[in-house]
Every structure is written in structure tokens, then in C-alpha cells.
Amino acid sequence: MKTIQRKHPKANREFGAVRKFADGLDTHANSDVPSIAPQSIQDQRTETISLSEQLLDEWNHRLKNDLQILVRLLESGYRKTRSSDAREVLSDAIRRIGAIGTAQRAYYCARGSTDVNGQDLVNAVCANARTLFGSDVSIDCKTARGNLPKEIAMPLALIINELLMNAVKYGGNQHGQVTVTVGLSRRPGLYELCVQDEGFGFDLEDPNSRLSGLGLVRALAQRLNGSFTVERTPGARCTVRFPDR
């Protein structure tokens, strides 16, 4: 008896079609046709960066306006008061806010970077101080080029401002003229800020000395993990040293 083998052409055709379809999927997966997902992620990232920059611009604009309003309020109080002590306090506050605004602008201009230009920062603080002091005050900046970490900008601007105010108040020569030299240098692992006047000098530890603002300088220097010293040369040479982070 012969064994009859039945053929299943339909099944064979279906299997071949499935095989061909599967091969077609593999070929498409390995082709050079770009995927949609990465492009979508890139678009989202670009949109997020753009939105962040817009928010930063808005924040900077609002902060600038708020500082200007605060300065105008203090200036109004300065004009109205007849007390010399009150005038001194208000003028000092105006200069400090100006220093904060200067540091904030340097911080904002360095967007996309972790550093600010040290020379530009010092020059800007000194320029702001010149506009607030009289013509008898001469400020000379001798700052080498170099960058500073952003977190140092604000306390350093306040330190320079305080030392300039102290020099203008107590560092005049016998003719009442004030000449101040500001220098910022960088050594291996260390920054050094020096503010030198041509007055009569003073002792930092003298409790009878009227050293307005120097307590703030010492506190800010400690915040930078640094030190604050004063020398007679014969004028006053104030030096703040802090580590390079």
C-alpha cells in the first residue's frame, strides 16, 4: 500500500508570506530612515532652554527695577532728613545697593558660564563708586585679567565698596584729597584684593577708631573662607585674601 502524502500549498504560501513580511520589518529597522523620537526630545530641550532664558531675562529685569525703586526711596529720605548721621547711613545704603546691582549685572552677563570676569567686576564697582563720590576722590583700578567663580561676585563687590567708603571717609591727605588704588590679583590657589589709600592709616584693632563697615568686610571675608588685614604704609593698606574655589 502506498502512503499518500498530502501537500498543503496554502500553508506553505502563508508561511512564506509571513517570512517575507518579517524580513521586510528587519530591513526597515536597519535602514537609514531617521527616528522621530530623538528629534522630538531635541525640540523639547530647545524649547526648555528658550523658556529658561526668557524667565531669566524677566527675573533680571524685575530685580533691576526693584533695586532702582529702593534707591529712589532712600534718596528721597536722604533729601528730606536734616540729620547728618541719618544722611550718612542713607548714603552708605545707597552705595551698597549700587554695589549689589553691579555684581548682579556681572552675574547676569555671564549667563551660560560658571565664572564672571574679575577685571570687569572690579572696574564696574569702582565706576559706580566714582559717580557717588565727589571730585576730590580719585580711584585707580589695577586689576589683572582673569575670571572669578560666580558665587564670589556679590560678596567681593560689597567688600570693595566698603573699603572704598572707608578710604573716602578716613583716608584723605592733609588737603582733604583722597587717592585710592584698588587691585585684584590671583596667585596659585589664592586671590588677593588690596585697597590702598594715602591717608594717615589706622589700626584695625583700635576700639576707638571709627571704622564704619569694616565689620561687614571681616564677615564677608570669613564667608569666602578668607582673611582681612590692615597695614600702615604709611597710609592704610587693606588686604583681603581668599582661596580659589
Side-chain angles (χ1 to χ4, degrees), residues 170-173 195-203 230-238:
Y170 312 115
N173 59 22
V195 178
Q196 170 81 50
D197 64 51
E198 297 180 356
F200 301 99
F202 61 89
D203 183 0
V230 176
E231 305 171 84
R232 290 179 181 268
T233 60
R237 179 182 177 87
C238 301

Side-chain angles (χ1 to χ4, degrees), residues 19-20 27 30 35 41 65 67 80 84 98 110 118 135 137 173 178 184 198 202 220-222 233-234 240:
R19 182 72 177 272
K20 185 177 180 181
T27 302
N30 295 326
S35 174
I41 294 175
N65 288 343
L67 291 176
K80 291 179 180 180
S84 59
S135 58
V137 177
N173 59 22
V178 179
L184 177 66
E198 297 180 356
F202 61 89
L220 291 170
Q222 292 175 352
T233 60
V240 176

Side-chain angles (χ1 to χ4, degrees), residues 49 65 72 75 85 92 102 105 114 118 153 167 178 184-185 213 225-226 228 230 236 243:
I49 293 174
N65 288 343
R72 292 192 187 101
E75 288 176 341
D85 290 339
D92 286 352
T102 299
R105 286 192 296 273
T114 59
V178 179
L184 177 66
S185 59
N225 296 320
F228 174 45
V230 176

